[in-house]
Amino acid sequence: MACSLKRPTLAAPFLKMAFLVGLVGGVSCCRLPEARAERVLFDFEQDFDVAKLESRDATPSLSRASAGTSLRLATGHGQQWPGVTLKAPSGRWDLAAFDHLTLDVRNRGKSRVEVFCRMDTPEEDGGRVFFQESLALEPGNKGVLRVKFRRRLP
Protein backbone atom coordinates (compact mmCIF):
# COMPACT_ATOMS: atom_id res chain seq x y z
CA MET A 1 0.00 0.00 0.00
CA ALA A 2 1.16 3.52 -0.64
CA CYS A 3 -0.22 6.85 0.47
CA SER A 4 0.99 10.41 0.97
CA LEU A 5 0.34 13.04 3.65
CA LYS A 6 0.62 16.77 3.27
CA ARG A 7 0.55 19.41 6.00
CA PRO A 8 -0.64 17.53 9.08
CA THR A 9 -1.76 19.71 11.97
CA LEU A 10 -1.87 18.37 15.48
CA ALA A 11 -2.22 19.11 19.20
CA ALA A 12 -0.81 16.30 21.29
CA PRO A 13 2.39 14.45 22.17
CA PHE A 14 2.23 12.17 19.19
CA LEU A 15 0.23 11.11 16.20
CA LYS A 16 0.02 7.60 14.82
CA MET A 17 -0.87 6.93 11.22
CA ALA A 18 -1.56 3.58 9.69
CA PHE A 19 -1.98 2.40 6.10
CA LEU A 20 -0.72 5.75 4.89
CA VAL A 21 0.60 6.06 1.40
CA GLY A 22 1.18 9.76 1.31
CA LEU A 23 0.59 12.80 3.45
CA VAL A 24 0.24 15.62 1.00
CA GLY A 25 1.76 18.74 2.53
CA GLY A 26 1.57 18.49 6.28
CA VAL A 27 -0.46 18.05 9.43
CA SER A 28 -2.37 20.94 10.97
CA CYS A 29 -4.77 21.69 13.81
CA CYS A 30 -7.70 24.04 13.66
CA ARG A 31 -8.87 26.23 16.49
CA LEU A 32 -12.24 26.16 18.12
CA PRO A 33 -14.92 27.81 15.95
CA GLU A 34 -14.65 31.24 17.58
CA ALA A 35 -10.98 31.68 16.61
CA ARG A 36 -10.72 29.84 13.25
CA ALA A 37 -6.92 29.85 13.26
CA GLU A 38 -4.62 27.06 12.14
CA ARG A 39 -1.36 25.70 13.51
CA VAL A 40 0.90 23.60 11.29
CA LEU A 41 2.43 20.78 13.31
CA PHE A 42 4.57 19.26 10.57
CA ASP A 43 5.74 20.89 7.38
CA PHE A 44 7.51 18.48 5.06
CA GLU A 45 8.97 21.37 3.03
CA GLN A 46 11.33 22.25 5.91
CA ASP A 47 14.06 20.14 7.52
CA PHE A 48 11.92 17.06 8.14
CA ASP A 49 13.98 13.95 8.91
CA VAL A 50 12.17 10.67 8.07
CA ALA A 51 14.89 8.78 9.97
CA LYS A 52 13.41 10.14 13.23
CA LEU A 53 10.00 8.57 12.58
CA GLU A 54 8.91 5.54 14.57
CA SER A 55 7.90 3.04 11.84
CA ARG A 56 5.91 -0.20 12.02
CA ASP A 57 6.03 -2.28 8.84
CA ALA A 58 6.24 0.97 6.85
CA THR A 59 8.93 2.66 4.77
CA PRO A 60 8.66 6.47 4.94
CA SER A 61 10.21 8.81 2.39
CA LEU A 62 9.82 12.39 1.22
CA SER A 63 8.34 12.90 -2.22
CA ARG A 64 9.15 16.21 -3.90
CA ALA A 65 6.99 17.56 -6.72
CA SER A 66 6.07 20.95 -8.18
CA ALA A 67 3.03 21.05 -5.85
CA GLY A 68 5.27 20.61 -2.80
CA THR A 69 6.84 17.94 -0.63
CA SER A 70 4.83 15.15 0.94
CA LEU A 71 5.54 12.30 3.33
CA ARG A 72 5.14 9.02 1.47
CA LEU A 73 4.58 5.71 3.25
CA ALA A 74 4.84 2.30 1.68
CA THR A 75 3.32 -0.22 4.09
CA GLY A 76 3.45 -3.97 4.31
CA HIS A 77 1.09 -6.60 5.65
CA GLY A 78 3.28 -7.96 8.46
CA GLN A 79 1.51 -6.04 11.24
CA GLN A 80 -2.13 -5.30 11.97
CA TRP A 81 -1.46 -1.53 12.13
CA PRO A 82 1.48 -0.64 9.85
CA GLY A 83 2.36 3.04 9.80
CA VAL A 84 4.42 5.73 11.49
CA THR A 85 4.31 7.82 14.64
CA LEU A 86 4.92 11.56 14.33
CA LYS A 87 6.09 12.92 17.70
CA ALA A 88 6.00 16.51 18.87
CA PRO A 89 9.51 17.92 18.39
CA SER A 90 9.58 19.40 21.91
CA GLY A 91 7.82 16.45 23.55
CA ARG A 92 4.27 17.80 23.38
CA TRP A 93 2.01 20.47 21.95
CA ASP A 94 -0.53 22.51 23.87
CA LEU A 95 -3.59 22.11 21.69
CA ALA A 96 -6.19 23.19 24.24
CA ALA A 97 -7.37 25.97 21.90
CA PHE A 98 -7.96 23.53 19.00
CA ASP A 99 -10.87 21.24 18.24
CA HIS A 100 -9.55 18.99 15.46
CA LEU A 101 -6.60 17.78 13.44
CA THR A 102 -6.57 17.56 9.64
CA LEU A 103 -4.40 15.60 7.23
CA ASP A 104 -4.48 15.94 3.44
CA VAL A 105 -4.01 12.40 2.13
CA ARG A 106 -3.71 10.76 -1.28
CA ASN A 107 -3.75 7.09 -2.27
CA ARG A 108 -0.88 6.60 -4.69
CA GLY A 109 -1.34 2.84 -4.73
CA LYS A 110 -3.27 0.52 -7.03
CA SER A 111 -5.76 -0.73 -4.42
CA ARG A 112 -8.37 0.84 -2.17
CA VAL A 113 -6.80 1.91 1.14
CA GLU A 114 -8.20 2.96 4.49
CA VAL A 115 -6.03 5.59 6.17
CA PHE A 116 -6.20 5.80 9.95
CA CYS A 117 -4.99 8.64 12.14
CA ARG A 118 -4.77 8.32 15.91
CA MET A 119 -3.79 11.14 18.24
CA ASP A 120 -2.72 10.16 21.76
CA THR A 121 -2.62 12.57 24.67
CA PRO A 122 -1.72 11.99 28.32
CA GLU A 123 -4.22 12.82 31.05
CA GLU A 124 -3.32 14.59 34.29
CA ASP A 125 -4.11 11.40 36.26
CA GLY A 126 -1.47 9.45 34.30
CA GLY A 127 -3.96 7.79 31.95
CA ARG A 128 -4.10 8.17 28.19
CA VAL A 129 -6.81 9.41 25.88
CA PHE A 130 -6.79 8.93 22.15
CA PHE A 131 -8.84 10.19 19.22
CA GLN A 132 -9.00 8.13 16.04
CA GLU A 133 -10.65 8.49 12.64
CA SER A 134 -10.22 6.90 9.23
CA LEU A 135 -10.79 7.71 5.59
CA ALA A 136 -11.19 5.22 2.73
CA LEU A 137 -9.59 6.19 -0.60
CA GLU A 138 -9.78 4.56 -4.00
CA PRO A 139 -6.57 4.42 -6.09
CA GLY A 140 -5.45 7.89 -7.22
CA ASN A 141 -7.99 9.69 -5.00
CA LYS A 142 -7.21 12.25 -2.33
CA GLY A 143 -9.13 13.54 0.65
CA VAL A 144 -8.98 15.26 4.02
CA LEU A 145 -8.85 13.11 7.14
CA ARG A 146 -10.29 15.03 10.10
CA VAL A 147 -9.79 13.88 13.68
CA LYS A 148 -12.18 15.62 16.08
CA PHE A 149 -11.03 16.23 19.66
CA ARG A 150 -13.81 15.13 21.99
CA ARG A 151 -13.47 16.93 25.27
CA ARG A 152 -14.82 15.91 28.65
CA LEU A 153 -16.97 18.34 30.54
CA PRO A 154 -15.39 19.64 33.77
PDB file of all heavy atoms in Angstrom, residues 31 35 44 55 72 94 96 126:
ATOM      1  N   ARG A  31      -8.368  25.713  15.216  1.00  0.00           N
ATOM      2  CA  ARG A  31      -8.865  26.231  16.486  1.00  0.00           C
ATOM      3  C   ARG A  31     -10.362  25.985  16.624  1.00  0.00           C
ATOM      4  O   ARG A  31     -11.048  25.675  15.676  1.00  0.00           O
ATOM      5  CB  ARG A  31      -8.616  27.743  16.579  1.00  0.00           C
ATOM      6  CG  ARG A  31      -7.190  28.080  16.808  1.00  0.00           C
ATOM      7  CD  ARG A  31      -7.086  29.521  17.288  1.00  0.00           C
ATOM      8  NE  ARG A  31      -5.708  29.860  17.498  1.00  0.00           N
ATOM      9  CZ  ARG A  31      -5.072  29.704  18.648  1.00  0.00           C
ATOM     10  NH1 ARG A  31      -5.690  29.208  19.675  1.00  0.00           N
ATOM     11  NH2 ARG A  31      -3.819  30.042  18.760  1.00  0.00           N
ATOM     12  N   ALA A  35     -12.269  31.116  17.020  1.00  0.00           N
ATOM     13  CA  ALA A  35     -10.981  31.682  16.612  1.00  0.00           C
ATOM     14  C   ALA A  35     -10.651  31.416  15.152  1.00  0.00           C
ATOM     15  O   ALA A  35     -10.093  32.249  14.484  1.00  0.00           O
ATOM     16  CB  ALA A  35      -9.876  31.142  17.501  1.00  0.00           C
ATOM     17  N   PHE A  44       6.518  19.326   5.715  1.00  0.00           N
ATOM     18  CA  PHE A  44       7.505  18.477   5.057  1.00  0.00           C
ATOM     19  C   PHE A  44       8.405  19.246   4.099  1.00  0.00           C
ATOM     20  O   PHE A  44       9.351  18.693   3.567  1.00  0.00           O
ATOM     21  CB  PHE A  44       6.803  17.314   4.358  1.00  0.00           C
ATOM     22  CG  PHE A  44       5.952  16.516   5.313  1.00  0.00           C
ATOM     23  CD1 PHE A  44       4.606  16.356   5.088  1.00  0.00           C
ATOM     24  CD2 PHE A  44       6.502  15.958   6.452  1.00  0.00           C
ATOM     25  CE1 PHE A  44       3.816  15.632   5.971  1.00  0.00           C
ATOM     26  CE2 PHE A  44       5.725  15.241   7.347  1.00  0.00           C
ATOM     27  CZ  PHE A  44       4.382  15.081   7.100  1.00  0.00           C
ATOM     28  N   SER A  55       8.609   3.771  12.908  1.00  0.00           N
ATOM     29  CA  SER A  55       7.902   3.037  11.841  1.00  0.00           C
ATOM     30  C   SER A  55       7.525   1.633  12.290  1.00  0.00           C
ATOM     31  O   SER A  55       8.259   0.998  13.031  1.00  0.00           O
ATOM     32  CB  SER A  55       8.786   2.910  10.600  1.00  0.00           C
ATOM     33  OG  SER A  55       9.168   4.157  10.135  1.00  0.00           O
ATOM     34  N   ARG A  72       5.667  10.206   2.158  1.00  0.00           N
ATOM     35  CA  ARG A  72       5.138   9.024   1.470  1.00  0.00           C
ATOM     36  C   ARG A  72       5.428   7.793   2.310  1.00  0.00           C
ATOM     37  O   ARG A  72       6.531   7.631   2.810  1.00  0.00           O
ATOM     38  CB  ARG A  72       5.776   8.888   0.094  1.00  0.00           C
ATOM     39  CG  ARG A  72       5.192   7.767  -0.700  1.00  0.00           C
ATOM     40  CD  ARG A  72       5.798   7.723  -2.091  1.00  0.00           C
ATOM     41  NE  ARG A  72       5.161   6.667  -2.820  1.00  0.00           N
ATOM     42  CZ  ARG A  72       4.523   6.816  -3.950  1.00  0.00           C
ATOM     43  NH1 ARG A  72       4.452   7.996  -4.502  1.00  0.00           N
ATOM     44  NH2 ARG A  72       3.963   5.800  -4.552  1.00  0.00           N
ATOM     45  N   ASP A  94       0.640  22.090  23.118  1.00  0.00           N
ATOM     46  CA  ASP A  94      -0.532  22.509  23.871  1.00  0.00           C
ATOM     47  C   ASP A  94      -1.600  22.837  22.838  1.00  0.00           C
ATOM     48  O   ASP A  94      -1.560  23.864  22.188  1.00  0.00           O
ATOM     49  CB  ASP A  94      -0.225  23.738  24.725  1.00  0.00           C
ATOM     50  CG  ASP A  94      -1.450  24.221  25.499  1.00  0.00           C
ATOM     51  OD1 ASP A  94      -2.530  23.576  25.401  1.00  0.00           O
ATOM     52  OD2 ASP A  94      -1.335  25.232  26.204  1.00  0.00           O
ATOM     53  N   ALA A  96      -4.943  22.919  23.517  1.00  0.00           N
ATOM     54  CA  ALA A  96      -6.189  23.190  24.238  1.00  0.00           C
ATOM     55  C   ALA A  96      -7.110  24.129  23.458  1.00  0.00           C
ATOM     56  O   ALA A  96      -8.327  24.041  23.586  1.00  0.00           O
ATOM     57  CB  ALA A  96      -5.880  23.772  25.613  1.00  0.00           C
ATOM     58  N   GLY A 126      -2.416  10.471  34.757  1.00  0.00           N
ATOM     59  CA  GLY A 126      -1.474   9.451  34.298  1.00  0.00           C
ATOM     60  C   GLY A 126      -2.039   8.523  33.235  1.00  0.00           C
ATOM     61  O   GLY A 126      -1.321   7.727  32.648  1.00  0.00           O
TER      62      GLY A 126
END
